[in-house]
Amino acid sequence: MNSPINTQMTMRNWALLALLGLIWGGSFFFARVAVAHVPPFTLVLLRLGLAALALHIYIRGRYDIYPALKRRWPEFLLMGLINNAIPHAFIFLGQTHIGAGLAAILNATTPVWTVLIANMATDDEKLSASKISGCLLGLAGTIVLVGPSALAGLVGRSTTIPLWALVLPVLAAVSYGLAATYGKRFRNLAPPVTAAGQLTASTLMMLPIAALADTPWILPMPPMTAVLAILGLALVSTAYGYILYFRVMAEAGATNASLVTLLVPPSAILLGYLFLGETLQALDVAGMALIATGLTVLDGRILKLRYSA
């Protein structure tokens, strides 16, 4: 039986979560370059498949990975389904009618869903006022951060956004919440094994989808810039990113691991400001401040010090 998780975030956990937010925020850079030359389903397949291959090479049979894959393949299939295949597909389909900014806002509801699901499904991550308040503050910060550009894309539209295009990204967030809670059962495995198992499973799921939708074998060879972007997306944002994600989940619980969805938008904006010459607006700073406040409330230590003083 697994021991209870200490859901109090340590400084190391926060550092890993911040690094993960930076890495997943950087995935927008890679995807922006790659998707111009590679169809989306094929890009997802390459991202997952190359990441899975890299992790198998990195592990090289250590951590008893092959007995674990053989023994727990149904669990890895389910994890790959709800953590990769379903949310990726739902977000992609939703973005055929909504912009990336609005999709990011809807995806940032993931911690809220994770809190609610973990409260019902676990004994060690129960609902609290600080969890709900922190998640809602973080969501409000994401809306302030991304909202103006998302709403600007809606102005002047001649057609109404279909309801399903708004619902699918929310369902993707629910799926991520389910995956975060379900992933607790893998905390007795080394994080690279959990990452490799779910990526291998989701690669097998995406293979027939990409083959039917894109017929990738007839596509022209993408330019070197796109190849490098795909490698960055697969090796850094996915293979290494999921090792960090499952490590935080094993140490600090599902709710805390899901907070990375609040860190991705500010990370992407900061990277754009630092490396692409993009401007940083007052609303960007306000949104980041709200997100930081939400994370502080979730952490709880400053509030405890205040009331104990």
Side-chain angles (χ1 to χ4, degrees), residues 236-257:
V236 180
S237 298
T238 307
Y240 183 56
Y242 270 123
I243 291 176
L244 295 179
Y245 175 74
F246 286 113
R247 181 163 290 140
V248 173
M249 184 185 296
E251 295 180 4
T255 300
N256 290 325

PDB file of all heavy atoms in Angstrom, residues 236-257:
ATOM      1  N   VAL A 236      12.569  17.885 -24.954  1.00  0.00           N
ATOM      2  CA  VAL A 236      12.584  18.804 -23.808  1.00  0.00           C
ATOM      3  C   VAL A 236      11.188  18.944 -23.201  1.00  0.00           C
ATOM      4  O   VAL A 236      10.969  18.661 -22.019  1.00  0.00           O
ATOM      5  CB  VAL A 236      13.137  20.183 -24.221  1.00  0.00           C
ATOM      6  CG1 VAL A 236      13.139  21.126 -23.014  1.00  0.00           C
ATOM      7  CG2 VAL A 236      14.538  20.049 -24.796  1.00  0.00           C
ATOM      8  N   SER A 237      10.228  19.376 -24.041  1.00  0.00           N
ATOM      9  CA  SER A 237       8.897  19.688 -23.515  1.00  0.00           C
ATOM     10  C   SER A 237       8.108  18.447 -23.109  1.00  0.00           C
ATOM     11  O   SER A 237       7.237  18.545 -22.239  1.00  0.00           O
ATOM     12  CB  SER A 237       8.098  20.480 -24.557  1.00  0.00           C
ATOM     13  OG  SER A 237       8.727  21.701 -24.843  1.00  0.00           O
ATOM     14  N   THR A 238       8.382  17.311 -23.732  1.00  0.00           N
ATOM     15  CA  THR A 238       7.567  16.121 -23.461  1.00  0.00           C
ATOM     16  C   THR A 238       8.313  15.089 -22.617  1.00  0.00           C
ATOM     17  O   THR A 238       7.866  14.750 -21.523  1.00  0.00           O
ATOM     18  CB  THR A 238       7.092  15.492 -24.784  1.00  0.00           C
ATOM     19  OG1 THR A 238       6.456  16.499 -25.574  1.00  0.00           O
ATOM     20  CG2 THR A 238       6.109  14.365 -24.527  1.00  0.00           C
ATOM     21  N   ALA A 239       9.449  14.574 -23.116  1.00  0.00           N
ATOM     22  CA  ALA A 239      10.164  13.527 -22.375  1.00  0.00           C
ATOM     23  C   ALA A 239      10.629  14.042 -21.011  1.00  0.00           C
ATOM     24  O   ALA A 239      10.268  13.485 -19.966  1.00  0.00           O
ATOM     25  CB  ALA A 239      11.346  13.029 -23.197  1.00  0.00           C
ATOM     26  N   TYR A 240      11.406  15.116 -21.014  1.00  0.00           N
ATOM     27  CA  TYR A 240      11.899  15.660 -19.745  1.00  0.00           C
ATOM     28  C   TYR A 240      10.766  16.292 -18.948  1.00  0.00           C
ATOM     29  O   TYR A 240      10.706  16.168 -17.717  1.00  0.00           O
ATOM     30  CB  TYR A 240      13.001  16.673 -20.020  1.00  0.00           C
ATOM     31  CG  TYR A 240      13.624  17.250 -18.773  1.00  0.00           C
ATOM     32  CD1 TYR A 240      14.175  16.399 -17.802  1.00  0.00           C
ATOM     33  CD2 TYR A 240      13.680  18.620 -18.562  1.00  0.00           C
ATOM     34  CE1 TYR A 240      14.752  16.919 -16.651  1.00  0.00           C
ATOM     35  CE2 TYR A 240      14.249  19.140 -17.413  1.00  0.00           C
ATOM     36  CZ  TYR A 240      14.787  18.288 -16.456  1.00  0.00           C
ATOM     37  OH  TYR A 240      15.349  18.805 -15.316  1.00  0.00           O
ATOM     38  N   GLY A 241       9.840  16.953 -19.643  1.00  0.00           N
ATOM     39  CA  GLY A 241       8.719  17.594 -18.967  1.00  0.00           C
ATOM     40  C   GLY A 241       7.884  16.614 -18.168  1.00  0.00           C
ATOM     41  O   GLY A 241       7.504  16.898 -17.020  1.00  0.00           O
ATOM     42  N   TYR A 242       7.595  15.456 -18.740  1.00  0.00           N
ATOM     43  CA  TYR A 242       6.763  14.491 -18.022  1.00  0.00           C
ATOM     44  C   TYR A 242       7.512  13.829 -16.866  1.00  0.00           C
ATOM     45  O   TYR A 242       6.893  13.424 -15.876  1.00  0.00           O
ATOM     46  CB  TYR A 242       6.204  13.437 -18.973  1.00  0.00           C
ATOM     47  CG  TYR A 242       4.879  13.839 -19.566  1.00  0.00           C
ATOM     48  CD1 TYR A 242       4.691  13.919 -20.941  1.00  0.00           C
ATOM     49  CD2 TYR A 242       3.798  14.155 -18.747  1.00  0.00           C
ATOM     50  CE1 TYR A 242       3.471  14.303 -21.482  1.00  0.00           C
ATOM     51  CE2 TYR A 242       2.583  14.541 -19.275  1.00  0.00           C
ATOM     52  CZ  TYR A 242       2.430  14.613 -20.637  1.00  0.00           C
ATOM     53  OH  TYR A 242       1.219  15.005 -21.157  1.00  0.00           O
ATOM     54  N   ILE A 243       8.826  13.712 -16.960  1.00  0.00           N
ATOM     55  CA  ILE A 243       9.584  13.221 -15.809  1.00  0.00           C
ATOM     56  C   ILE A 243       9.392  14.170 -14.626  1.00  0.00           C
ATOM     57  O   ILE A 243       9.130  13.747 -13.491  1.00  0.00           O
ATOM     58  CB  ILE A 243      11.079  13.077 -16.159  1.00  0.00           C
ATOM     59  CG1 ILE A 243      11.296  11.922 -17.149  1.00  0.00           C
ATOM     60  CG2 ILE A 243      11.903  12.825 -14.890  1.00  0.00           C
ATOM     61  CD1 ILE A 243      12.735  11.791 -17.611  1.00  0.00           C
ATOM     62  N   LEU A 244       9.507  15.471 -14.901  1.00  0.00           N
ATOM     63  CA  LEU A 244       9.297  16.467 -13.843  1.00  0.00           C
ATOM     64  C   LEU A 244       7.869  16.414 -13.315  1.00  0.00           C
ATOM     65  O   LEU A 244       7.636  16.471 -12.102  1.00  0.00           O
ATOM     66  CB  LEU A 244       9.596  17.869 -14.378  1.00  0.00           C
ATOM     67  CG  LEU A 244      11.031  18.180 -14.785  1.00  0.00           C
ATOM     68  CD1 LEU A 244      11.125  19.609 -15.313  1.00  0.00           C
ATOM     69  CD2 LEU A 244      11.985  17.983 -13.615  1.00  0.00           C
ATOM     70  N   TYR A 245       6.899  16.303 -14.231  1.00  0.00           N
ATOM     71  CA  TYR A 245       5.484  16.301 -13.852  1.00  0.00           C
ATOM     72  C   TYR A 245       5.163  15.145 -12.902  1.00  0.00           C
ATOM     73  O   TYR A 245       4.538  15.337 -11.856  1.00  0.00           O
ATOM     74  CB  TYR A 245       4.631  16.211 -15.109  1.00  0.00           C
ATOM     75  CG  TYR A 245       3.145  16.081 -14.858  1.00  0.00           C
ATOM     76  CD1 TYR A 245       2.391  17.164 -14.432  1.00  0.00           C
ATOM     77  CD2 TYR A 245       2.495  14.868 -15.064  1.00  0.00           C
ATOM     78  CE1 TYR A 245       1.023  17.049 -14.204  1.00  0.00           C
ATOM     79  CE2 TYR A 245       1.129  14.742 -14.851  1.00  0.00           C
ATOM     80  CZ  TYR A 245       0.401  15.836 -14.422  1.00  0.00           C
ATOM     81  OH  TYR A 245      -0.944  15.708 -14.209  1.00  0.00           O
ATOM     82  N   PHE A 246       5.604  13.935 -13.258  1.00  0.00           N
ATOM     83  CA  PHE A 246       5.297  12.776 -12.420  1.00  0.00           C
ATOM     84  C   PHE A 246       6.109  12.787 -11.127  1.00  0.00           C
ATOM     85  O   PHE A 246       5.689  12.200 -10.127  1.00  0.00           O
ATOM     86  CB  PHE A 246       5.512  11.484 -13.203  1.00  0.00           C
ATOM     87  CG  PHE A 246       4.429  11.225 -14.217  1.00  0.00           C
ATOM     88  CD1 PHE A 246       4.702  11.259 -15.571  1.00  0.00           C
ATOM     89  CD2 PHE A 246       3.126  10.974 -13.813  1.00  0.00           C
ATOM     90  CE1 PHE A 246       3.707  11.043 -16.502  1.00  0.00           C
ATOM     91  CE2 PHE A 246       2.118  10.758 -14.738  1.00  0.00           C
ATOM     92  CZ  PHE A 246       2.403  10.791 -16.093  1.00  0.00           C
ATOM     93  N   ARG A 247       7.256  13.449 -11.132  1.00  0.00           N
ATOM     94  CA  ARG A 247       8.006  13.577  -9.880  1.00  0.00           C
ATOM     95  C   ARG A 247       7.263  14.486  -8.908  1.00  0.00           C
ATOM     96  O   ARG A 247       7.138  14.171  -7.721  1.00  0.00           O
ATOM     97  CB  ARG A 247       9.410  14.117 -10.165  1.00  0.00           C
ATOM     98  CG  ARG A 247      10.276  14.269  -8.926  1.00  0.00           C
ATOM     99  CD  ARG A 247      11.741  14.400  -9.300  1.00  0.00           C
ATOM    100  NE  ARG A 247      12.264  13.143  -9.817  1.00  0.00           N
ATOM    101  CZ  ARG A 247      13.109  13.050 -10.841  1.00  0.00           C
ATOM    102  NH1 ARG A 247      13.502  14.133 -11.468  1.00  0.00           N
ATOM    103  NH2 ARG A 247      13.553  11.873 -11.232  1.00  0.00           N
ATOM    104  N   VAL A 248       6.769  15.628  -9.396  1.00  0.00           N
ATOM    105  CA  VAL A 248       5.992  16.527  -8.536  1.00  0.00           C
ATOM    106  C   VAL A 248       4.724  15.833  -8.049  1.00  0.00           C
ATOM    107  O   VAL A 248       4.348  15.933  -6.877  1.00  0.00           O
ATOM    108  CB  VAL A 248       5.636  17.836  -9.278  1.00  0.00           C
ATOM    109  CG1 VAL A 248       4.682  18.690  -8.439  1.00  0.00           C
ATOM    110  CG2 VAL A 248       6.891  18.620  -9.604  1.00  0.00           C
ATOM    111  N   MET A 249       4.051  15.092  -8.940  1.00  0.00           N
ATOM    112  CA  MET A 249       2.833  14.397  -8.563  1.00  0.00           C
ATOM    113  C   MET A 249       3.100  13.365  -7.465  1.00  0.00           C
ATOM    114  O   MET A 249       2.329  13.247  -6.509  1.00  0.00           O
ATOM    115  CB  MET A 249       2.210  13.709  -9.779  1.00  0.00           C
ATOM    116  CG  MET A 249       0.877  13.041  -9.482  1.00  0.00           C
ATOM    117  SD  MET A 249       0.250  12.122 -10.904  1.00  0.00           S
ATOM    118  CE  MET A 249      -0.012  13.457 -12.063  1.00  0.00           C
ATOM    119  N   ALA A 250       4.202  12.619  -7.602  1.00  0.00           N
ATOM    120  CA  ALA A 250       4.526  11.595  -6.608  1.00  0.00           C
ATOM    121  C   ALA A 250       4.844  12.211  -5.254  1.00  0.00           C
ATOM    122  O   ALA A 250       4.511  11.656  -4.211  1.00  0.00           O
ATOM    123  CB  ALA A 250       5.708  10.756  -7.094  1.00  0.00           C
ATOM    124  N   GLU A 251       5.481  13.388  -5.261  1.00  0.00           N
ATOM    125  CA  GLU A 251       5.924  13.992  -4.009  1.00  0.00           C
ATOM    126  C   GLU A 251       4.880  14.901  -3.371  1.00  0.00           C
ATOM    127  O   GLU A 251       4.813  15.017  -2.150  1.00  0.00           O
ATOM    128  CB  GLU A 251       7.208  14.791  -4.250  1.00  0.00           C
ATOM    129  CG  GLU A 251       8.398  13.937  -4.650  1.00  0.00           C
ATOM    130  CD  GLU A 251       9.650  14.764  -4.892  1.00  0.00           C
ATOM    131  OE1 GLU A 251       9.597  16.004  -4.676  1.00  0.00           O
ATOM    132  OE2 GLU A 251      10.667  14.187  -5.302  1.00  0.00           O
ATOM    133  N   ALA A 252       4.073  15.592  -4.208  1.00  0.00           N
ATOM    134  CA  ALA A 252       3.210  16.650  -3.670  1.00  0.00           C
ATOM    135  C   ALA A 252       1.742  16.491  -4.014  1.00  0.00           C
ATOM    136  O   ALA A 252       0.925  17.307  -3.582  1.00  0.00           O
ATOM    137  CB  ALA A 252       3.708  18.016  -4.152  1.00  0.00           C
ATOM    138  N   GLY A 253       1.364  15.478  -4.782  1.00  0.00           N
ATOM    139  CA  GLY A 253      -0.037  15.217  -5.041  1.00  0.00           C
ATOM    140  C   GLY A 253      -0.562  15.767  -6.349  1.00  0.00           C
ATOM    141  O   GLY A 253       0.080  16.549  -7.043  1.00  0.00           O
ATOM    142  N   ALA A 254      -1.794  15.346  -6.668  1.00  0.00           N
ATOM    143  CA  ALA A 254      -2.410  15.664  -7.954  1.00  0.00           C
ATOM    144  C   ALA A 254      -2.706  17.149  -8.102  1.00  0.00           C
ATOM    145  O   ALA A 254      -2.430  17.757  -9.142  1.00  0.00           O
ATOM    146  CB  ALA A 254      -3.700  14.850  -8.114  1.00  0.00           C
ATOM    147  N   THR A 255      -3.288  17.752  -7.070  1.00  0.00           N
ATOM    148  CA  THR A 255      -3.659  19.168  -7.154  1.00  0.00           C
ATOM    149  C   THR A 255      -2.449  20.045  -7.408  1.00  0.00           C
ATOM    150  O   THR A 255      -2.464  20.919  -8.282  1.00  0.00           O
ATOM    151  CB  THR A 255      -4.371  19.621  -5.867  1.00  0.00           C
ATOM    152  OG1 THR A 255      -5.548  18.836  -5.675  1.00  0.00           O
ATOM    153  CG2 THR A 255      -4.754  21.087  -5.952  1.00  0.00           C
ATOM    154  N   ASN A 256      -1.377  19.812  -6.668  1.00  0.00           N
ATOM    155  CA  ASN A 256      -0.181  20.635  -6.831  1.00  0.00           C
ATOM    156  C   ASN A 256       0.457  20.433  -8.194  1.00  0.00           C
ATOM    157  O   ASN A 256       0.948  21.394  -8.800  1.00  0.00           O
ATOM    158  CB  ASN A 256       0.831  20.317  -5.722  1.00  0.00           C
ATOM    159  CG  ASN A 256       0.370  20.820  -4.366  1.00  0.00           C
ATOM    160  OD1 ASN A 256      -0.256  21.864  -4.267  1.00  0.00           O
ATOM    161  ND2 ASN A 256       0.656  20.066  -3.318  1.00  0.00           N
ATOM    162  N   ALA A 257       0.456  19.206  -8.708  1.00  0.00           N
ATOM    163  CA  ALA A 257       1.022  18.967 -10.039  1.00  0.00           C
ATOM    164  C   ALA A 257       0.214  19.684 -11.114  1.00  0.00           C
ATOM    165  O   ALA A 257       0.763  20.186 -12.105  1.00  0.00           O
ATOM    166  CB  ALA A 257       1.079  17.470 -10.331  1.00  0.00           C
TER     167      ALA A 257
END
